[in-house]
Structures are given as C-alpha cells and as structure tokens.
Amino acid sequence: GQFDPEIGTKFCFNLKMYSIIHIFYSSYHLWKYTIYDEDEVLLALAEQLGNFTMLVGGPEYVHCLLPPLESLATVEETVVRDKAVESLRKISQEHSPVDLEVHFEPLVKRLASGDWFTSRTSACGLFSVCYPRVSSTVKAEIRQHFRTLCSDDTPMVRRAAASKLGEFAKVLEPEYVKSDIISLFTALASDEQDSVRLLAVEACVSIATLLPQEDLETLVMPTLRQAAEDKSWRVRYMVADKFSELQKAVGSEITKNDLVPAFQNLLKDCEAEVRAAAANKVKEFCENLPEDNREQIIMTHILPCVKELVSDTNQHVKSALASVIMGLSTILGKDNTIEHLLPLFLAQLKDECPEVRLNIISNLDCVNEVIGIRQLSQSLLPAIVELAEDAKWRVRLAIIEYMPLLAGQLGVEFFDEKLNTLCMAWLIDHVYAIREAATCNLMKLVEKFGAEWAQNTIVPKVLGMANDPNYLHRMTTLFCINALSEACGQEITTKQMLPVVLKMSNDQVANVRFNVAKSLQKIGPVLDSNALQTEVKPVLEKLATDSDMDVKYFAQEAISGMFDFLLSTKLLNFNSLNFIFLLFFLCSFGPSITIPNQRLQADISCKQNYTFTGYLLMFRNNW
C-alpha cells in the first residue's frame, strides 16, 4: 500500500504520525488488494480501527477511518460485519455534528441502499447513533431509510431491522414513535418469517415503555396478544422469555386483564420449550403482580398451572420450575406455603430427575425463612436424608453444602440425633468430591458447635478411620485432621490428633506416608515448639530418607515449610539465643554448617539447603 499524498498534505504531523497513518493505509490496502482476506485478520482489523481515533490526529480527523470500516461492514462474514458496525458506532461519538452530517450520515445512506444485503443489514445498527445529532431534514431521510429496510425483500435485512427497532424507537421524538414505529412494529410482528416476528417481540418491551398508558391497549396489546398465540413455538418462546419485562412495561392494570391469561396459556403450551421458559418466569411474574390482589391471582390462576408442571413429562420443564418455585413461599406466606407448596416441594424432592432434586435442595433457605427450620425438618428432612444417599453424586454434594446451614438452625442436639451419622458416612463415599466436601463440612460444623463438641463427637470417629483397611479412608483421616486442627485448637491437636498422624508415617502405602508429611506441615503452626522438636522432627527426618521419591520430596518440603513458619513466629527475634536455636534446628536436618571468617560455607546436597543457607546469611547480617 502506497502512502496517500492527500493525507500527507492535510496532516502536517511529525514523522511518527506519518508512520502511523502509513501503517493504517497499508492495513487497508492489505485487506483490499491482496490475498489476506482471512476472516480472523478482517475481524482483528475491524476491532482495532475503532481505537484509532487518537492515532489519526484525534476527533478532527476521525472521518478518515470511515472508508475501511465501511468496506468491512459489507463483507460476507457476520462476525466481521458486526465488529465493523461496533467500531463505527464507537467512532460516531467522536464526530462533531457537522462532520456527522458531512461524513458519517452519507456512509449510512450508502450502506442502506447497497445492492448486497450485507451492507443493508449493517446499516440497521447505525441509524440510532447518528439520528439524535443531525438536522431535521436528515432525520426525515434516516426515518425513510429505516422504513424501507423494515420492508426489504431479504429476510436477513428485515431481521436486522427488527432487532434494532426498539433501539431506534428510543431516540425518536414521541410523535414519530406513534406515527412510524407502531406501524413498523405491527408489520414486523406479522412477517411471514418467524425469525423476524420473534425479534419484534423483543422490540415490544422498548416501545411499550415509550408510550403513555392509555395508548398501550390500542397500539401494542393487540400485537402482543397475537404473538402470545403465534403458530410458531419460537415466537411464543420469546414472549415467555421476555414476559417479566413486558409485565413491567405495560403496568399492573393490563397485566391483570391481559397478561395473566396469556401467562396461563404459556404455562400450558403444547411445546416443552415454551413451558420451560414460562416456568422459569413464575417467581418474577408473581413478584410483579399488583400487591392488592397478588395472593388471589396466584392462588386462583397461577398455582393450578404450577401443580400441573410439577408432574410434567419433560424434565427440563420440571427443572426450570424447581429452580424458582421455592421463591413463591416468600410471596404466599407461611400458611399457604405449608398447605399448598410443601407437598409440591416434597414431590420434586422425590422426582426421578436429579437436576430437579438438586434445584430444590439448593433453594431450601427460601422456605426456611418463611416456615422455620422445625417445620421444614419435619416435612422435608426424611426426603433430605434419602437424598443424602442418592445414586447421583451431585445431588449428594448439594445436600452436603446445605448441611452447615441446616445444622446451625436445627441445633446441636437435633443434629446429633438425626444427621451426625449421615455426615460421617460421607467421609467414606466412593467419590472423592464427596469426601472432600464432607471434610469441609466437618470443619464448618466444628466452627458452629465448638471444639468441645468436636472432641466428644467428631474427633474419635475421624481418628478411628486411621485403622481402616481402605487406604483412601486412611487418607481421609489425614485430610480431616488438616481441616480440623485449627478449629479444634492446640490441646486437642497435640494430644489426640498428632499421635495418630505420627503412627501413620509407618503406613505401607506411599500415598498415605507422603500425606503424613503434608499433614505435619499443615498442623505444624498449631503445635508448640517442643512437639515440633521432639515428635515431628524425627518423623520428618525418617520420611526424608524414605525409599519412595514422592515421600522423600514432601518430607523435605515439610521441613522447609516448618522452617518458614519458625522464621515468622515470635521465636525468632534476632537475639543470639534464638539464632543458636535456629542454627541447631537447621543443622539437625541438613549437612554440617560452619561460619569461618564471617562467611557461611555449607555442603549443599538438596534444594532446601539453599533456602537454609540464604536464611542463615540473613540472620548473620542482622545478628
């Protein structure tokens, strides 16, 4: 690409600026005249040109970016066109009103009247950004171009116009919303292509917010009723998906008279996709109903449909309903929840679809806030206990995650009686994710109920697993000790847990032994210095010479980690006594270390010794 001489005469910038413009035009010509028309290259070019304003001299010269972006907005690849339109929308804000009419608006007209549909679809996204800042004459031309595109022969163009109808309506003057937009909306909502009609539904939300309440019934509602009963399930699906937004836009009176019956029909639709979309909006729809007769509408019109959906033949419908149905309890209150909703919750907890059960379990806290934990436990606890042994591990996982909340509200006595055995059984589950979650669950329970409860109830059972013939269960013991040591405190950890960990260092399985090393490093900060020196150190020394490479590695890591801990504690205050203690501790783990002539010399045989030498050098300097 050659440097454009016109640009050179117009822009009297320094050499660096000339270079930038040259690169810009080289990129443009590279796209236009060479074989480098790969979509990825064009996409990157379309994206970056939107950020070139300052590189071409600022807003005064931003219009020179329009030619390449105009060309990119006409290519066949959709993602490239969309990115070019996005960049054009971005730089349109950099144009002054005069430049907008001189440079940008003609570009929009050229695209809107292009021979190939790609340019016309791109034009649809540009009307709204230039309309507010141009003169009345130009505004009239833009409105005419948009009307033309809404009735274009190509469905792709009408689809693009329908997708931008609501956005364009927001920037029009109120009188033109009634005179122009409503007729376009009605025509697009009656289009022969369902892909156009469903996008008109989306525009309905924006249009409804722009009209006064008295005009909605005559101008919008007939088209909306038609869309809710459209022969295409995709259009009905879009109505269901946008129902809450439509409800807020049209107001409470129209909702009560028109949208409630329409919503009932959508909940009973013959297509499962439509029922699922409507079921997903049940809670939002009920929340937005007028307060004076909300409960009466729900109990009379909505709840019967919900009861049918609980036993729907399609699992996606039941799953969508299960994700929101618990929220109805806060709307209907305690009595209605106990009488009408609890049976539905119980039926869904026993549903054959695991996702349905999972969604109910995940939202139990909504019901708990309304009816209380006692009522909840009496009604749903048997089903929860049954689900705790569900064949699907994700369902069991959801029960575990809910358990700390349930335990905290039930109290320690009720928990020990009903759920303690269940929590311990999860520790030996055949799925690792369940055992891991059960370990975290125990830690949260100890934080709720205290160390004394743990010492009497949990710790003995956990430590008993150290003798289990299954090495995975023995490893779970170590994981539990890691999690519980801090919550239980120094005394319980030193007297009850540490002896078990030390004993397991002789385990025949290498995985258990190197997890012993990791556990000793983990619980080290909880132990006192005497236990570290007299009990932990000899075991780690032994593991550091283990025949298994992994055991040896983790033992050495534990030794290094313990030293890091000692370094950060109050034991190391840079006095001579503590320095001597540190030196003794280190030398007991590694080769001999001497300090002749103010220098450290060490025989380094492993990675940790480098760390030790570095720390000793630091201590020598500070000492």
Side-chain angles (χ1 to χ4, degrees):
Q2 301 250 336
F3 184 80
D4 192 331
E6 287 187 22
I7 299 295
T9 55
K10 186 181 291 185
F11 296 81
C12 297
F13 300 133
N14 57 28
L15 181 61
K16 181 178 180 182
M17 184 57 68
Y18 281 126
S19 301
I20 291 172
I21 298 171
H22 180 67
I23 293 170
F24 157 60
Y25 269 90
S26 296
S27 300
Y28 174 45
H29 290 296
L30 179 71
W31 169 75
K32 196 167 185 180
Y33 298 115
T34 73
I35 62 172
Y36 291 98
D37 57 352
E38 291 292 338
D39 293 334
E40 290 83 358
V41 177
L42 301 183
L43 179 62
L45 188 60
E47 180 178 7
Q48 293 304 320
L49 287 176
N51 303 319
F52 258 54
T53 300
M54 299 311 298
L55 300 179
V56 296
E60 185 179 356
Y61 306 104
V62 71
H63 57 82
C64 71
L65 295 172
L66 297 180
L69 284 172
E70 180 180 357
S71 298
L72 289 167
T74 64
V75 301
E76 190 172 354
E77 180 56 47
T78 304
V79 291
V80 177
R81 291 202 312 270
D82 290 345
K83 189 58 71 174
V85 170
E86 183 182 326
S87 292
L88 283 168
R89 289 169 65 94
K90 184 176 181 180
I91 66 174
S92 70
Q93 306 304 318
E94 307 288 346
H95 286 73
S96 65
V98 175
D99 286 340
L100 201 67
E101 288 198 18
V102 173
H103 299 288
F104 196 86
E105 194 269 340
L107 175 147
V108 177
K109 289 181 180 178
R110 289 194 299 273
L111 290 174
S113 56
D115 295 332
W116 192 239
F117 79 92
T118 54
S119 65
R120 303 199 296 276
T121 57
S122 295
C124 294
L126 299 175
F127 290 118
S128 61
V129 294
C130 62
Y131 185 88
R133 302 171 60 206
V134 296
S135 62
S136 300
T137 305
V138 177
K139 284 183 177 180
E141 294 176 2
I142 291 176
R143 291 196 301 272
Q144 181 57 45
H145 279 295
F146 192 79
R147 281 195 295 270
T148 303
L149 293 180
C150 285
S151 57
D152 195 275
D153 293 336
T154 308
M156 285 80 79
V157 178
R158 298 199 303 275
R159 190 158 59 235
S163 67
K164 299 298 180 182
L165 181 63
E167 180 184 293
F168 188 54
K170 289 180 180 179
V171 300
L172 289 182
E173 295 80 1
E175 60 269 23
Y176 295 120
V177 174
K178 286 186 180 181
S179 61
D180 290 8
I181 296 298
I182 293 300
S183 60
L184 297 177
F185 167 64
T186 304
L188 291 170
S190 305
D191 195 274
E192 61 181 9
Q193 297 284 331
D194 63 353
S195 60
V196 178
R197 298 200 301 273
L198 66 87
L199 289 172
V201 172
E202 193 170 351
C204 181
V205 177
S206 300
I207 295 171
T209 58
L210 300 172
L211 295 172
Q213 194 69 27
E214 57 270 17
D215 292 332
L216 288 175
E217 182 61 43
T218 56
L219 299 179
V220 174
M221 288 311 299
T223 305
L224 184 56
R225 293 190 198 101
Q226 174 186 326
E229 299 174 355
D230 195 277
K231 61 183 179 181
S232 170
W233 72 266
R234 292 179 177 84
V235 179
R236 301 197 304 275
Y237 174 90
M238 181 61 74
V239 174
D241 190 55
K242 299 292 179 181
F243 213 87
S244 298
E245 299 169 47
L246 290 167
Q247 182 185 10
K248 294 176 183 177
V250 301
S252 59
E253 194 62 32
I254 293 179
T255 294
K256 187 166 52 178
N257 297 332
D258 290 285
L259 294 193
V260 170
F263 192 63
Q264 284 181 281
N265 292 334
L266 292 172
L267 290 172
K268 298 177 180 179
D269 197 274
C270 59
E271 292 291 337
E273 288 83 354
V274 179
R275 295 198 304 275
N280 205 37
K281 299 294 179 180
V282 165
K283 179 187 174 184
E284 288 183 54
F285 179 77
C286 293
E287 285 177 335
N288 296 328
L289 289 171
E291 292 185 13
D292 54 346
N293 54 2
R294 177 190 295 167
E295 184 177 329
Q296 185 266 330
I297 292 175
I298 295 174
M299 298 301 296
T300 306
H301 300 287
I302 305 301
L303 194 58
C305 299
V306 169
K307 289 180 178 178
E308 292 180 15
L309 293 180
V310 168
S311 56
D312 196 276
T313 55
N314 187 282
Q315 69 177 29
H316 300 293
V317 176
K318 293 187 290 186
S319 178
L321 180 65
S323 65
V324 299
I325 190 174
M326 310 292 272
L328 293 179
S329 57
T330 57
I331 302 172
L332 293 177
K334 182 175 181 178
D335 294 337
N336 285 325
T337 297
I338 295 173
E339 182 179 353
H340 298 285
L341 294 182
L342 272 182
L344 303 182
F345 301 158
L346 190 59
Q348 290 187 303
L349 273 175
K350 296 180 179 179
D351 194 274
E352 61 183 9
C353 175
E355 191 173 351
V356 175
R357 303 194 296 267
L358 183 62
N359 287 341
I360 290 293
I361 295 163
S362 302
N363 294 284
L364 281 175
D365 53 323
C366 298
V367 184
N368 175 44
E369 293 174 4
V370 178
I371 67 174
I373 194 65
R374 287 290 173 182
Q375 181 68 45
L376 179 66
S377 62
Q378 291 174 10
S379 305
L380 302 181
L381 190 60
I384 292 174
V385 172
E386 183 178 342
L387 289 175
E389 301 172 352
D390 194 275
K392 301 293 182 180
W393 69 269
R394 294 185 189 276
V395 176
R396 301 199 300 275
L397 184 62
I399 291 286
I400 295 174
E401 291 172 350
Y402 182 71
M403 192 57 63
L405 174 64
L406 191 64
Q409 293 165 339
L410 285 171
V412 62
E413 293 182 5
F414 190 91
F415 177 83
D416 285 343
E417 180 185 350
K418 303 288 185 180
L419 300 174
N420 191 305
T421 305
L422 198 60
C423 290
M424 298 307 300
W426 284 324
L427 291 173
I428 56 174
D429 195 278
H430 65 278
V431 177
Y432 172 75
I434 299 298
R435 298 196 301 272
E436 183 183 36
T439 301
C440 296
N441 175 54
L442 287 185
M443 180 181 66
K444 294 175 182 177
L445 291 175
V446 173
E447 291 172 353
K448 283 184 178 294
F449 295 150
E452 185 179 350
W453 172 81
Q455 184 177 12
N456 298 328
T457 309
I458 296 296
V459 173
K461 296 178 181 178
V462 168
L463 299 182
M465 293 168 54
N467 299 317
D468 195 288
N470 189 326
Y471 85 97
L472 294 174
H473 299 168
R474 299 199 298 276
M475 287 173 59
T476 302
T477 300
L478 295 172
F479 300 151
C480 289
I481 290 174
N482 295 345
L484 297 177
S485 58
E486 187 173 351
C488 290
Q490 186 181 90
E491 184 178 355
I492 297 175
T493 303
T494 304
K495 293 182 178 180
Q496 293 184 253
M497 298 182 184
L498 181 59
V500 174
V501 177
L502 298 177
K503 180 181 178 183
M504 294 176 72
S505 65
N506 297 316
D507 198 281
Q508 294 182 348
V509 179
N511 292 43
V512 177
R513 296 199 302 276
F514 76 64
N515 273 287
V516 167
K518 293 168 72 174
S519 292
L520 289 174
Q521 181 179 357
K522 177 71 175 177
I523 68 175
V526 182
L527 305 173
D528 58 37
S529 58
N530 182 57
L532 287 174
Q533 186 67 24
T534 61
E535 299 183 69
V536 174
K537 182 174 74 69
V539 172
L540 287 178
E541 284 180 330
K542 176 185 174 183
L543 293 175
T545 60
D546 196 275
S547 57
D548 187 271
M549 292 180 61
D550 292 328
V551 177
K552 187 184 302 184
Y553 170 78
F554 284 109
Q556 292 170 350
E557 286 289 308
I559 293 169
S560 177
M562 286 175 59
F563 171 67
D564 291 338
F565 164 69
L566 288 174
L567 180 65
S568 63
T569 62
K570 63 183 179 180
L571 289 176
L572 302 181
N573 292 323
F574 299 118
N575 59 50
S576 58
L577 181 61
N578 288 331
F579 180 77
I580 292 170
F581 168 77
L582 172 67
L583 184 61
F584 173 75
F585 180 83
L586 291 176
C587 291
S588 66
F589 280 113
S592 59
I593 300 177
T594 57
I595 314 179
N597 301 323
Q598 301 297 317
R599 297 184 62 186
L600 283 174
Q601 296 178 350
D603 296 325
I604 300 171
S605 60
C606 65
K607 175 184 174 182
Q608 282 71 25
N609 290 349
Y610 286 104
T611 305
F612 299 159
T613 304
Y615 280 130
L616 286 175
L617 280 168
M618 183 183 71
F619 273 101
R620 184 207 63 183
N621 294 336
N622 282 280
W623 189 32

